[in-house]
Structure formats: structure tokens, C-alpha cells
Amino acid sequence: MTQLFSPKPIPKVELHRHLDCSWRYSTLVELAKNFKLIDSTEYTEVESKLLVTSPMTDLGSVLKKFTRAQQLLKNEEILTRLTFETLEDAYNDGIRILELRYSLNFIQEGSGLSYDKIHMALLKGIEHAQKKYPIATGLISIFQRDQSKDHLQKILDFTIQNKSVFIGADLADNEAAADPNSFKWLFDELYEAGVPITIHSGETPDSGAPKRVKDAIEILHATRIGHGIQIIQDQSTIDFVKAKNVHLEICPISNALTQAFANRKNHPFFDLYKAGVSVSINSDDPGIFNTYLSDDYSYLIQNFGLTTTDFTKINKLAYDASFISAVEKKRVMPIL
Ligand SMILES: [Zn+2]
């Protein structure tokens, strides 16, 4: 019988978290009330309007929740606060290395701010947090599959101009409808500019998913995949991912909520880990799921009996796959 334990004190490395969906619960409620997105601060109302806490059945209502959360990203002060609180809460949850990704487009739609102002406000939050806590962090610029070429070009220019600050680039949103070749120009430029690449892929359960993961690696230069769990369907893709030493950023609770697999015990995490694939544990959108990263660890303890030894191994894999500089990683986690 596996002994259950609290994963909170484990020193953690998190590689896949959307900063723009990473609210502290009390701040989410406070701002939603101030901006009149909710009438009361009762949990039931907050949950029904802003949180995703049970497996999604109605995509329309889920998207509305993300749109409401986007409306909270109103000004620079809020962006700085969001970043500071994200890092403070992460540190208190045992996280020592945290990569945060954000979409300039998503935040601009919510705030109307320029890319420069958005980016500077986030950096200010990081600076404040790092004065107080020994946590290593870095920002990843997200490109969205449903954006126009003009928008993608603008974000590309901004990302490359700021490549000394961005630690990487990502491609997100519905991949089933998108041809990877239509983003080749963009990721060729990022690759040539030396920007490390991770791609959201292999998340939803359809038979085309393993091929899309392979395409993200071969066509779009990804060295890491956001999710990637559907490679479990195809042994040759598992072998390919291992041979290329590509890392999978796995988000257990997020996958449960999007119904990426049949039931909790069927999450592919354990099989991929045992097959020798480089994997990490991540929270994805904790502000919307009302979770901490430790909840994802608890999920794996409860469903697969993972131990502290497993978590040490997995955090070492995440540490090695992180885009943050070796010096910075060593500063906060010298033992890995
Ligand atoms: Zn994600």
C-alpha cells in the first residue's frame, strides 16, 4: 500500500504554465467583483463564471470563462501584480524554477496595452518577486495558431527584438485544424535566431495526434512538446521522441479536465515515464483550474503511487530540459 504524503515541500521545476491564466484565487475574486464580472464573492458564482473544475462538456461555456479572465488583464499594475503573486505562490508551493508563457495577443485584447508596456509590466513583477524569493524564472512568447499572418509577424518581430529576455517560443491553440507547414516560415526564423522552441501538440485524443507531434519536431524545430501525451497511441512515435531526446511537458489535471483520456487511471503519464520518455509535471492554467502544482503531484501519487524518488528523477528531467540558463538554474537548485 502506497504511503500518501504531501508533495508541497518537494523542490520543483515547472516548465508549462500560462502566466495570463495563473491568478491567485483571492485576486481573481477581488478583480472580478471590481470589474462587475460577478455579483457576489460566493464560491459557487465564482466557479460558474470563472473556473473550470470539472471535466469540460460544453466548450462554449469554457471559452466564456477564459474570455472573462482575459478582461481582468486591464492595466500594467494588474499585470505586475499577477506576475509577482504567481511567483510568490509558486515559491510557497515548492517551485524553484518556473517558466512562464504568455500570449502578447491575449493580453493585448484584454488590456489594449502595447507589447512593450505589457512586457515591461511583467518584467517588473518578476523583478519584485526575485528580490524577495530565490526562484529562477523566464518568459516564453506564445504564438497562436488562429492568428493572422500580420499578427504573427508583429509578435515574431517583438520576440526576436527581445530575445535576450525571452527564453523560448511556443505555438498554441487548436492544432487539428492547422497545417504545421503554414507556420514553418515563422519557426524557421525563430530557430535561426537561436530562440528555443516548444509546441503545444498531441493533447487531444484523435488518431492524427502522434503524427502532429512528429511534425512539430521535424517541421517546426520543437525540442519540447506541450502535452504530447497522445504519442501513447503509437510506439514508433514514442521511439522517435526518445531518439530525438524531446521532452514532454505533461499537465495531468489539465488533461483530465479536457478529457484527453478515458479516466484518471488511464492518464498516459506513468506509461510514458516508465517507457523512458523525458517528462515533467506542470499546471498549465492553475488560475482557471483553481489548483496548485502540488495538486498535479497529488494526482500522480493517488492514481499511480509515484514516490519522492520518482519526483526527484522527473524534476531532474525538467531541470535538464528547461530553457533557463545553467547558471541561473544552479543558483536556485544547486543539488540538481
Ligand atoms: Zn498550455
Side-chain angles (χ1 to χ4, degrees):
M1 179 78 188
T2 309
Q3 176 84 38
L4 293 185
F5 59 94
S6 167
K8 211 171 158 180
I10 297 171
K12 304 174 188 73
V13 180
E14 183 173 14
L15 306 181
H16 189 123
R17 182 197 285 232
H18 296 256
L19 174 58
D20 33 23
C21 292
S22 201
W23 295 100
R24 176 181 287 177
Y25 181 78
S26 56
T27 303
L28 178 81
V29 175
E30 178 197 316
L31 295 177
K33 183 83 168 60
N34 287 350
F35 297 137
K36 302 193 181 348
L37 296 180
I38 49 174
D39 300 317
S40 78
T41 55
E42 295 292 325
Y43 180 77
T44 46
E45 190 185 350
V46 177
E47 187 183 36
S48 75
K49 292 194 173 152
L50 291 155
L51 304 178
V52 176
T53 56
S54 53
M56 304 172 190
T57 48
D58 168 14
L59 187 64
S61 78
V62 170
L63 291 177
K64 259 191 205 153
K65 292 177 185 192
F66 278 91
T67 308
R68 285 193 194 104
Q70 184 185 37
Q71 289 168 38
L72 304 178
L73 302 160
K74 281 262 193 279
N75 57 47
E76 289 152 284
E77 191 189 330
I78 290 173
L79 295 176
T80 300
R81 178 178 174 185
L82 164 76
T83 312
F84 175 82
E85 290 179 353
T86 293
L87 288 164
E88 181 168 66
D89 292 353
Y91 183 80
N92 289 329
D93 193 34
I95 298 170
R96 296 294 174 265
I97 295 173
L98 177 59
E99 296 191 10
L100 293 167
R101 59 191 69 200
Y102 79 95
S103 160
L104 282 157
N105 187 54
F106 184 80
I107 298 182
Q108 188 171 62
E109 279 175 9
S111 65
L113 294 168
S114 68
Y115 292 169
D116 259 322
K117 284 191 170 163
I118 292 169
H119 194 65
M120 293 313 289
L122 303 180
L123 291 179
K124 198 168 159 190
I126 290 178
E127 199 187 317
H128 289 179
Q130 286 190 318
K131 274 192 189 140
K132 213 168 159 191
Y133 302 103
I135 185 166
T137 190
L139 296 171
I140 294 175
S141 178
I142 300 181
F143 295 81
Q144 294 172 256
R145 288 185 172 92
D146 56 4
Q147 280 175 308
S148 68
K149 199 168 176 185
D150 262 12
H151 257 115
L152 293 172
Q153 182 69 54
K154 278 186 195 143
I155 294 175
L156 173 66
D157 294 343
F158 186 83
T159 304
I160 289 184
Q161 275 158 23
N162 292 279
K163 71 172 182 175
S164 61
V165 180
F166 281 114
I167 56 164
D170 176 26
L171 182 63
D173 293 335
N174 183 15
E175 63 169 340
D179 175 2
N181 286 299
S182 60
F183 302 101
K184 186 169 162 37
W185 64 275
L186 172 62
F187 283 85
D188 277 351
E189 273 207 47
L190 287 162
Y191 179 72
E192 277 154 30
V195 179
I197 293 164
T198 175
I199 305 270
H200 275 77
S201 185
E203 179 181 6
T204 49
D206 64 86
S207 58
K211 164 88 167 73
R212 290 197 294 270
V213 171
K214 210 163 175 236
D215 287 348
I217 298 164
E218 288 192 312
I219 301 171
L220 303 178
H221 312 286
T223 58
R224 292 185 356 207
I225 298 290
H227 302 288
I229 52 170
Q230 300 302 337
I231 68 166
I232 199 72
Q233 299 174 32
D234 180 52
Q235 185 59 45
S236 71
T237 309
I238 294 177
D239 295 340
F240 178 78
V241 163
K242 279 174 67 178
K244 294 271 180 190
N245 197 26
V246 168
H247 177 87
L248 304 188
E249 308 152 0
I250 300 186
C251 312
I253 291 176
S254 173
N255 297 150
L257 293 171
T258 59
Q259 305 200 70
F261 49 89
N263 64 53
R264 285 183 156 243
K265 289 268 180 210
N266 281 352
H267 193 290
F269 184 94
F270 192 69
D271 289 340
L272 291 168
Y273 167 55
K274 284 291 161 197
V277 177
S278 178
V279 291
S280 56
I281 306 161
N282 304 279
S283 66
D284 210 6
D285 302 307
I288 306 294
F289 304 151
N290 197 21
T291 56
Y292 290 95
L293 180 60
S294 281
D295 295 320
D296 288 272
Y297 280 58
S298 293
Y299 179 105
L300 296 171
I301 296 167
Q302 284 158 15
N303 290 290
F304 303 107
L306 259 63
T307 64
T308 47
T309 310
D310 292 316
F311 290 129
T312 303
K313 279 186 200 160
I314 293 162
N315 277 306
K316 174 79 171 97
L317 296 171
Y319 184 97
D320 291 343
S322 170
F323 295 151
I324 292 172
S325 77
V327 172
E328 184 61 2
K329 287 190 281 193
K330 229 180 170 65
R331 178 178 72 83
V332 294
M333 280 183 105
I335 39 144
L336 288 180

